[in-house]
Each structure stands twice: as C-alpha cells, then as structure tokens.
Amino acid sequence: TTNTKIEDIPCSNALGLDIGVGASLIYPLIGTQTYGWSFLGTDADKIAIESAQEIVMANGLSHKISIRKQQNKYSMLHGILKSDEKVDFVMCNPPFYPSEKSFRNANKRKIRNLAISSQKRNNEYQQQGGAATIPNIGKNDASSTLVGSNNFLGRPMELWYPPGGEVAFVSSIIRESFHVADRCLWFSSLMSRRQNASLILHSL
C-alpha cells in the first residue's frame, strides 16, 4: 500500500501502463491530453494493436505513447516491461464476461430493459398529449433489431475472457504484479460488478 496521491506524481514525468489498451486507445489519449502523462499500451489482439498504432501516428503522439504486443494472451505483465524499465502505475479496463454466451445474454437483457424503459417514457409522454417518438418494442419481441443488436462495442478480447472473465483477468494481474512490484508504484483496475470485488480481495 502507499499514501501517494495522484497530485504527487509529476505530470511531465508520469508513465502509465495500460493493460489491454484496445483498438480505441481511449485511456492513453485521455491521460496524455488531460494530465500530460506518457503511456505504454499493451494488447494481445493484433487488430487492436494496429488500430492503436494508427491512432498514435495520426495524432503525432509517438513521443508520448508506445504500443506493445502481448504475445501470450494469458499473460498480463510478463514480457512487457524491459529489465530496467519502471512505470508509475498500471491500469486496466478488463474484459468483463467469462464467455461469448455470457456476453450475448447480458446484451439481450440490457436491450430489453432499455426497450421497456423507453416504452414507459413514451406512455408518460403520450399521457401528457405528446406524440410517440420511440418504437413500441415489447419485452419478448425477439424479432426486434434492437433486441438482437450488439449494444456493447469492442473486439472479442475486450469483451470476454474465458474462463473467469474480469475476476480471472484481474487475478492474473495481481499474481504477476509480484514479479514487478519494485518497478511500479500503483496497480489498478476497473471492475464491472461490485460482488466480484470480494473475490479479488482473496487474491491480494
């Protein structure tokens, strides 16, 4: 643990490592433009790596962001940092789902809940004399294009990680962090489900 606060990190010198940087490179872009930090971005997906590299070049950020391919999709930190290389923090937005099936089921539930909520707003609006603006999509309307749509965007590796989803992914980061503990100040990750936090705590 550390008492270091984010404001204690010199903006011009901070270097972050984004595990699973993704095709959009979103967090390094925010970090460089908002805080002036530099980043290493890693990913095991070839297409995501190519896209991220194109974004770096298109925005003239090669002096601030470096993209590295993780050769082993089940490794998080191994093979990424050079022997004499240190970073101020590691961050990650992990793949939340343990399988494609789990992802598809969650997607359908979300779309159906959105449809129900939209219809409820429509009904309230019409009761006030307004015209309907949102299609009438029933809870069980499997033929709806919305119900069958992919509301969650991203490459497969960004969405699901079999087996175990975000718990397995973040647990791997924790295990591997011991090998580079002297070369990183903070290790952090997002989590999509609060109940998974207790499972992660057992890995610490």
Side-chain angles (χ1 to χ4, degrees):
T1 60
T2 176
N3 292 323
T4 303
K5 299 179 180 179
I6 194 169
E7 55 263 30
D8 295 331
I9 299 179
C11 286
S12 59
N13 298 326
L15 174 62
L17 169 58
D18 185 3
I19 298 175
V21 68
S24 66
L25 196 71
I26 184 62
Y27 294 116
L29 289 176
I30 293 174
T32 56
Q33 300 306 301
T34 302
Y35 299 108
W37 294 343
S38 297
F39 275 86
L40 298 176
T42 73
D43 210 291
D45 187 290
K46 179 182 178 181
I47 294 178
I49 286 288
E50 292 174 351
S51 174
Q53 289 174 331
E54 289 178 2
I55 293 173
V56 169
M57 298 304 296
N59 288 277
L61 291 171
S62 57
H63 64 297
K64 299 288 288 184
I65 303 175
S66 176
I67 305 299
R68 298 179 185 177
K69 177 78 161 57
Q70 173 56 268
Q71 300 301 327
N72 184 348
K73 67 179 181 179
Y74 295 110
S75 289
M76 309 301 158
L77 294 163
H78 293 323
I80 294 300
L81 291 177
K82 300 174 184 177
S83 59
D84 60 345
E85 197 169 35
K86 296 183 178 181
V87 297
D88 293 291
F89 62 91
V90 168
M91 61 175 292
C92 178
N93 182 10
F96 298 143
Y97 303 97
S99 66
E100 181 177 2
K101 181 180 180 180
S102 175
F103 157 72
R104 298 294 178 191
N105 289 338
N107 184 43
K108 288 180 181 179
R109 285 194 299 271
K110 181 177 181 180
I111 293 299
R112 285 171 178 162
N113 288 338
L114 287 173
I116 293 170
S117 177
S118 296
Q119 186 57 47
K120 181 179 179 181
R121 291 197 303 271
N122 247 352
N123 292 339
E124 292 174 351
Y125 185 63
Q126 286 179 303
Q127 289 174 2
Q128 297 173 3
T133 58
I134 304 172
N136 186 358
I137 303 171
K139 179 178 180 181
N140 299 313
D141 185 4
S143 65
S144 167
T145 56
L146 281 178
V147 172
S149 71
N150 181 2
N151 188 247
F152 302 89
L153 299 178
R155 300 282 302 159
M157 284 187 180
E158 297 177 62
L159 299 171
W160 57 83
Y161 180 77
E166 65 181 6
V167 172
F169 199 95
V170 176
S171 294
S172 292
I173 294 177
I174 293 172
R175 287 193 300 272
E176 294 184 25
S177 71
F178 287 99
H179 300 288
V180 294
D182 60 338
R183 289 187 279 156
C184 178
L185 177 63
W186 281 339
F187 294 89
S188 65
S189 178
L190 294 174
M191 296 290 291
S192 69
R193 295 181 181 277
R194 181 177 298 178
Q195 58 264 38
N196 285 341
S198 60
L199 299 175
I200 293 298
L201 288 175
H202 290 298
S203 300
L204 295 176

